[in-house]
Each structure stands twice: as structure tokens, then as C-alpha cells.
Amino acid sequence: MVTLAEVAKCAGVSSSTVSYVISGKRSISEATRRRVEQAISDLGYHPNAGARALAGKRSHIIALVVPLRTDVYVPIMMEIAIAVTVAARQYGYDVLLITNDEGPEGVRRVAASGLADGVILMDVELDDDRIPVLRTQGTHAALIGLPDDTSGLACVDHDFAAAGAMCADHLADLGHRDVAFIGYSPVVYQRHAGYAERTLTGFQDRAAERGLRILHRPCEGTYDSTAGAFARILADRPETTGFVVQNEGAIGPLLSLLRTTGRIVPEDASVVALCPESLAEQYSPRLTAVTGPAEELGRVAVDLVMRRIEDGTPAEVTLLTPVLTTRESTGPAPRTR
Amino acid sequence: MVTLAEVAKCAGVSSSTVSYVISGKRSISEATRRRVEQAISDLGYHPNAGARALAGKRSHIIALVVPLRTDVYVPIMMEIAIAVTVAARQYGYDVLLITNDEGPEGVRRVAASGLADGVILMDVELDDDRIPVLRTQGTHAALIGLPDDTSGLACVDHDFAAAGAMCADHLADLGHRDVAFIGYSPVVYQRHAGYAERTLTGFQDRAAERGLRILHRPCEGTYDSTAGAFARILADRPETTGFVVQNEGAIGPLLSLLRTTGRIVPEDASVVALCPESLAEQYSPRLTAVTGPAEELGRVAVDLVMRRIEDGTPAEVTLLTPVLTTRESTGPAPRTR
DNA sequence: TTGTAGGCGTTATCAA
DNA sequence: TTGATAACGCCTACAA
């Protein structure tokens, strides 16, 4: 293994000079800098991570805590995880993957051991048991998702309320009067997952303003469950012409059901999905959808932790505005039924 | 921050004793062990990761290199990543997430810096440019996926050939004679992704043995692309009664198309999917499917690296046998058409 | 602009 | 069974 000292000898300088060339923390004459850099690449030197962490009091690692349970759409979690990793590299940081099966203890472990300089929590619940650990340990952290009490915490999340409202607006603008909202399974709402509630509330509030008549139906995301929800919607409010779906698993079934019951999309019924673009593009017809910027979520989370690590900037809550993309699944409400 | 020395003072022993209590590398009297453990928990001591790595020449971290491109079904990647993380913890190891946007250099970096003691490569291609780095650096590694030349490498993968063969057998057993295989997009085959080729070959070989007439149609996994493939299958071989799908995106569309064209599953047509259980269960009817054990893949990969790190066990190739689960989408071939 | 030297917290060797 | 103590490789005041 090549060490700083060997590079120094090779370049004919002291090891501190090599260290400073690498860190850039003091000015170096052009000549020696070049000799040092030459030596570094000649010998194939890579600074030892352990030694650096020990001496520098900074591991240059952040921990990303991912949930085991996965009712949130998995590809999005992955996209966020990758965005976090890529963004962290920009800061010279690496990302340690922590699963929640260790519970809050995992967070304590990586923070207390100095393994990680900071922590990013994914899929944060309203009353998340990892948060007390952060507070007592004074761990640098950023949360993806909004807990009950955000005081002193750096958080970033989609603006789900805005997303819900955008769906209501879009359908109202198109002249729909009766709209159904097909949501997540009841357990998601019971767990008070913030995103589900906030979307629904945003939708309901805006729907009320716009004078829409709405129906909310939870759904498991399977075909059978979707069929059940669909049947009850038609039974309760046959004049429904607009559908908002927030359950990825329910999209395919819903489109099938509309087709099977002789409803053409978008002539007879309009469908707005709350889902990633990649999904929206995959169906036929391609779906008008409200999408939150997953990649940005990860990037912002990294920015937040890094700021806390590097200069202890005070915490803040950031909500990212979703985007409604009009595709082929929505159109003007049918004139008559 | 609590250090070993502080624990030692608190317990009235030397710091080396504390170290040995923790590592268990030499016998300690019951009495001192208890005092030390008491001190550890009283003070809330956590060994410093950097110091441990430096002194012990082992970071207790393995790197997991995930692809950015993601034509492999993402939830499975995530399942493997989580399985790897959980399995690594059993060995007292943590997992560092590396994306492939750094290219092979990322592997070099984490290995050369001693950041990671070993590396797990996901989604290995036949001719993977990360492999030369492993070879020249002598990095401890395990590959998920089979490269061209596996010599000296520890690899684990699904037995895709067996999976393909199982599909052929199942449909042949049910009396089907004309079977179509809906695969991945042409680019996947052009890239010579091993899994796509091996599945197809396994299917074709067994189909030949069993006297099946087969048709292979690549597919992008969108509705339109699936519709195109489906139409060509019916045009070329209208008597087709069995379908094997290896493209997750094509499953939903295929079922829709069968329904739309008046074919009842499984009375008129049988469908076997090569996909994870969670997907197979989601459709209606629930799908007979051949599934590879994703979680085991991750676990075995960890076992392989750990063995190489801890006792340099020679490399080996492990193929995991998939499982065919019969559900509601396959039945006896229709007697006549 | 560059060099010297002490220390970071653990591990492991050598004694006792 | 336990205790000193010398590495481990890098960072960073402090000197020059």
C-alpha cells in the first residue's frame, strides 16, 4: 500500500506538503505541486480512508437509512438512493446504506462510531422513532418526508398538497364535475403516512373550492381491490367522469376496467395519475400525471446534510413543487351521459 | 466522544483489556469482563470506526456497485441491495453504495483507499469493464451475474437456463404445442446481457426436446410494443396457445390484449411469467411464474465476499435454482381451436 | 513556501 | 489473566 510518506520521498518533499497539495489548504508553488502530483499518479497513491477519518475527524461518509417495508413505489426509492449517492460524490462523500431492520439503533451506531458524518432518513413517518435518536445524539441529518414536529430538523419532501390540488384543478378546468380519488390502502392512511393524507387533503380542499363532487376510495393496488373500488364508485356516483389515482398498482387495473365497461379514455372518462413519468408513459393511452421530482429530492437532501456538516446551517423545511404533465388520458368532460 | 481509554479508566483496567473484551480475542476473567461491559454501557461507548480501520487494517465495509441504467426490474435490484445490507450486518459489516457513474474508477477508489474490504458488483455484463480493475488490484469481490470469463472470480446468479427450461416443460406438460416467448427489447440482447440470452437458450433447447413450436418476439415493455409483438405472433402462428413473458412491462399489456381479443386465460391461452412473486400475485388471474430467489442472491454474494476477505477461499460460481409456482394463468391446452 | 512533530483511537505484540 | 507500548497513515498547528 502506498502511503503519504512514500509519495513525499518520491517527490522529494515532506509528507505535510503532500497532504496540503491534496487538501489544497495552503498555497503550494507550482513546481512542487507538479512534482507531487506526478509522484501521486506514478505510485498510484490513494489516501487511506481510515487514517483520514481518524486524523481529520470526518469520515466523508453519510448514511442513508432506507425502509424495509416498501409500500412506497420502489423504483422511486431507488432513484432517490442513486441521486443521493451521486450528489454526495460531488461533495467527496460516499453513502452508507442502512436498513431499518436495526431500528433506531442503526442510526445511533453509525453516528456514534463516527462511521458517518451525517444521516439521511428516507420515508419518514409522522411520528418516527429514529428522530429522538437524532435529537439526543445531535446528529447531522436531513429527512426525506415530513414528521409531525419538524423543529430543528432539516426536511425535504414533495408538496403533496399542491399535487392533490393540481389534480382537482386540472379536472375542474376540463369541466368535470364528479371525480373519484383512488388512493392507497387503508393501512397507509391508518399509519398516518403524511404523503397520503396531505395529497388527499390538498385534493379535497381544492375540489371544494372548485365545486367538484368527489368520492375517495382506498385501494390495495391489486386488480381485485381496484375492481371493488371501481364498482363502488359507479354504484355510488354513476355520473363520475374524472379519476385521480395515487396507487401505482391500481393504474393498470383501472384502465382495464374502464375499457371493459365500454368507457373510452379520454372521451368518456379522464384519468390523472399521481406517479412517476416512467410509469405514466408506459400505459396506453399515456397518462396525464402529476409527478414529484425524485432525483431532486435526493439532491436536496444531500445539500441539506452537507450544509449542516460543513457549517451547521440552521434547519429548514423544503417542499418541492410537483409538475403536471398533460398527456392523452384527460380531456374535456363529456357533454352528456 | 467516549474513547477506549476513558472506558478503561472507568473500569479500572488498561485500555488493551477493554479492546480484548470487545473483540473477544483473548480470555478475560468474568469479573473484569463485567466491569468493563458495565463501563461501556454507562459511558455509552462506541468504538471509533476510523481508528479501528486504521489499526485493524479492515474497514468492516463492503461496497455494493449498482448500475445507473436499469433495464433490470428495479424492485429486484432494491431487494438484492437490502438483502446484501442485512446479510453484511450479520458479519458486522456495513455496505457502501457505489453507482456506476464513476465507472470502474469507483471500484478502484474504494478498494485502494481501504474504504471497503471487498466489493459486490451487481448487474455484471458479459464483458464488464469493472472486472479488470478487480483483477489488477486483487480486490476481494463477488459478482452478481456471470461474465464471459469467470476464472478466479466468485460469482452468483440465477440459473436462467433452468428457468427457461422450466417454462417450456410446464407448458409442454399441459399439452401446449405452439408457444410464444415475449422477451426483452432488442438492445438487451444486443448488449449480450447474459441473463436474457441464457433464459432464451434454456427455453429453446428444452422446447426442442419437447417438440414445441416456438416463436421469439423481443419487446420494449410498453403497451404499444407489446401490442405489436402480440399482433405478429397471431399473424405468424395463430394456433399459439402458450405465452412465456420475460419482460415485466409486457405482462399487463399482454393480459389486456388477450382479454380484448376474446381469449380467456387460462381456458384459451396460458401465460407463464418470468418475474418476481410480488408481480405475479398482482395480476388477475394471478400468474404462474418462474421466480429467482432475489434475496438469496444478495445473501450468497455476501457470503462469497466475506469468505474471500476472511480466509481467501478460492472463487466459485454459484447458480441458484428458480422456482415455478403454478397459479391461475396456466391450464391444459384447449382441445381444438 | 515548506518542514517538523504531536496526536487522532484502536489493534496487537511483547512482557509480566 | 492483564498491562505497556509501538505501530497504523494522515492532519494540522507551530516553526522556520
Side-chain angles (χ1 to χ4, degrees):
Chain A
M1 164 185 220
V2 187
T3 71
L4 208 59
E6 300 179 87
V7 175
K9 187 169 349 146
C10 170
V13 297
S14 78
S15 53
S16 66
T17 299
V18 178
S19 177
Y20 283 118
V21 166
I22 292 171
S23 70
K25 288 189 180 173
R26 80 179 181 194
S27 50
I28 303 283
S29 73
E30 190 49 36
T32 57
R33 144 167 299 119
R34 265 215 310 286
R35 264 184 307 142
V36 169
E37 278 163 356
Q38 188 59 245
I40 287 178
S41 78
D42 284 356
L43 302 181
Y45 169 74
H46 285 262
N48 179 276
R52 193 158 84 112
L54 179 57
K57 318 211 149 300
R58 199 131 285 180
S59 67
H60 297 269
I61 289 176
I62 57 180
L64 177 68
V65 187
V66 304
L68 281 182
R69 160 181 51 67
T70 165
D71 49 32
V72 51
Y73 184 58
V74 180
I76 292 302
M77 275 191 27
M78 195 71 187
E79 191 178 338
I80 295 175
I82 289 179
V84 164
T85 308
V86 171
R89 287 300 308 143
Q90 312 281 70
Y91 289 93
Y93 268 68
D94 276 291
V95 171
L96 204 70
L97 200 60
I98 305 287
T99 56
N100 232 335
D101 67 334
E102 290 185 74
E105 185 52 32
V107 174
R108 191 199 316 284
R109 188 174 59 79
V110 295
S113 66
L115 218 198
D117 299 333
V119 172
I120 293 178
L121 262 39
M122 286 187 64
D123 201 26
V124 169
E125 299 188 33
L126 284 183
D127 168 23
D128 201 297
D129 57 0
R130 296 166 296 184
I131 293 177
V133 179
L134 298 180
R135 290 219 155 94
T136 66
Q137 305 262 313
T139 309
H140 298 304
L143 317 199
I144 298 179
L146 292 191
D148 257 339
D149 173 11
T150 62
S151 61
L153 298 173
C155 306
V156 57
D157 203 354
H158 298 302
D159 191 339
F160 285 102
M166 290 167 93
C167 295
D169 273 335
H170 180 69
L171 291 173
D173 289 346
L174 288 168
H176 295 268
R177 310 310 305 159
D178 291 276
V179 175
F181 186 103
I182 299 180
Y184 285 111
S185 98
V187 304
V188 173
Y189 294 95
Q190 275 154 28
R191 223 183 49 234
H192 293 291
Y195 57 94
E197 288 193 337
R198 275 146 57 209
T199 312
L200 187 57
T201 307
F203 172 74
Q204 287 168 333
D205 291 353
R206 184 61 51 87
E209 285 174 30
R210 302 290 305 255
L212 297 179
R213 284 180 295 273
I214 66 176
L215 236 37
H216 168 224
R217 291 286 175 267
C219 171
E220 300 290 343
T222 60
Y223 184 91
D224 291 343
S225 171
T226 311
F230 185 72
R232 282 163 51 229
I233 290 167
L234 293 192
D236 294 352
R237 193 82 53 78
E239 59 276 29
T240 299
T241 60
F243 293 85
V244 177
V245 208
Q246 186 173 206
N247 189 324
E248 291 79 11
I251 298 175
L254 175 63
L255 292 178
S256 283
L257 290 159
L258 287 168
R259 207 175 291 141
T260 312
T261 57
R263 275 156 245 256
I264 309 293
V265 174
E267 283 79 357
D268 304 322
S270 286
V271 175
V272 182
L274 289 142
C275 77
E277 314 235 309
S278 60
L279 261 188
E281 295 278 359
Q282 220 169 76
Y283 292 94
S284 173
R286 296 178 308 130
L287 302 177
T288 294
V290 175
T291 302
E295 187 262 340
E296 190 181 354
L297 211 54
R299 225 177 42 227
V300 171
V302 170
D303 290 342
L304 290 175
V305 232
M306 292 314 303
R307 246 183 284 163
R308 308 215 74 188
I309 292 173
E310 291 180 345
D311 44 62
T313 306
E316 58 187 291
V317 171
T318 311
L319 290 185
L320 303 183
T321 307
V323 176
L324 184 144
T325 306
T326 305
R327 297 197 183 81
E328 301 148 8
S329 68
T330 52
R335 275 226 168 308
T336 65
R337 278 198 52 85
Chain B
M1 165 187 222
V2 187
T3 71
L4 208 60
E6 300 178 87
V7 174
K9 186 166 356 143
C10 171
V13 296
S14 78
S15 55
S16 61
T17 299
V18 178
S19 176
Y20 283 117
V21 167
I22 290 171
S23 70
K25 288 189 180 173
R26 78 180 181 194
S27 48
I28 303 282
S29 74
E30 191 49 37
T32 57
R33 146 167 297 119
R34 264 215 311 285
R35 261 184 308 140
V36 169
E37 277 163 355
Q38 189 58 244
I40 287 178
S41 78
D42 284 356
L43 302 181
Y45 168 74
H46 285 263
N48 178 275
R52 194 156 86 110
L54 179 56
K57 316 206 150 308
R58 199 131 287 181
S59 67
H60 297 270
I61 288 176
I62 58 180
L64 177 68
V65 187
V66 304
L68 280 182
R69 160 181 53 65
T70 166
D71 49 32
V72 49
Y73 184 58
V74 179
I76 291 302
M77 275 191 28
M78 195 70 189
E79 190 178 339
I80 295 175
I82 289 179
V84 164
T85 308
V86 172
R89 286 302 306 145
Q90 312 280 69
Y91 288 93
Y93 268 68
D94 276 291
V95 171
L96 204 70
L97 201 59
I98 305 287
T99 56
N100 234 336
D101 68 334
E102 290 185 73
E105 185 51 31
V107 174
R108 191 197 318 283
R109 188 174 60 80
V110 295
S113 66
L115 218 199
D117 299 332
V119 172
I120 293 178
L121 261 39
M122 286 187 65
D123 202 25
V124 170
E125 298 187 32
L126 285 184
D127 168 24
D128 201 297
D129 56 359
R130 298 166 294 185
I131 293 178
V133 178
L134 298 180
R135 291 220 155 93
T136 66
Q137 305 262 313
T139 309
H140 298 303
L143 316 200
I144 298 179
L146 293 191
D148 256 340
D149 173 12
T150 63
S151 62
L153 297 173
C155 307
V156 57
D157 203 355
H158 298 301
D159 190 340
F160 285 102
M166 291 167 92
C167 295
D169 272 336
H170 181 68
L171 291 173
D173 289 347
L174 287 168
H176 295 268
R177 312 307 308 157
D178 291 276
V179 174
F181 187 103
I182 298 179
Y184 285 111
S185 99
V187 304
V188 173
Y189 295 95
Q190 277 153 28
R191 223 184 48 236
H192 293 291
Y195 57 94
E197 288 193 337
R198 276 147 56 208
T199 312
L200 187 57
T201 308
F203 172 74
Q204 286 168 333
D205 291 352
R206 185 59 53 86
E209 285 174 32
R210 302 290 305 254
L212 296 180
R213 285 181 294 275
I214 66 174
L215 236 38
H216 168 224
R217 291 286 174 270
C219 171
E220 300 291 342
T222 61
Y223 184 91
D224 291 342
S225 171
T226 311
F230 185 72
R232 283 163 49 231
I233 289 167
L234 292 192
D236 295 352
R237 191 83 53 79
E239 59 276 30
T240 299
T241 61
F243 294 85
V244 177
V245 208
Q246 186 172 208
N247 189 323
E248 290 78 12
I251 298 175
L254 174 64
L255 293 177
S256 282
L257 290 159
L258 287 168
R259 206 174 292 140
T260 312
T261 56
R263 274 157 246 256
I264 308 293
V265 174
E267 285 78 358
D268 304 321
S270 287
V271 176
V272 182
L274 288 142
C275 78
E277 314 235 308
S278 60
L279 262 188
E281 296 277 1
Q282 222 168 77
Y283 291 95
S284 172
R286 296 180 307 131
L287 302 177
T288 294
V290 175
T291 303
E295 186 264 339
E296 190 181 354
L297 212 53
R299 225 178 40 228
V300 170
V302 171
D303 291 341
L304 290 175
V305 232
M306 292 314 305
R307 247 183 283 163
R308 307 215 73 188
I309 291 174
E310 291 181 346
D311 43 62
T313 306
E316 57 187 292
V317 171
T318 311
L319 290 185
L320 302 182
T321 307
V323 176
L324 184 143
T325 306
T326 304
R327 297 197 183 81
E328 302 147 8
S329 68
T330 51
R335 275 225 167 309
T336 64
R337 281 195 51 81

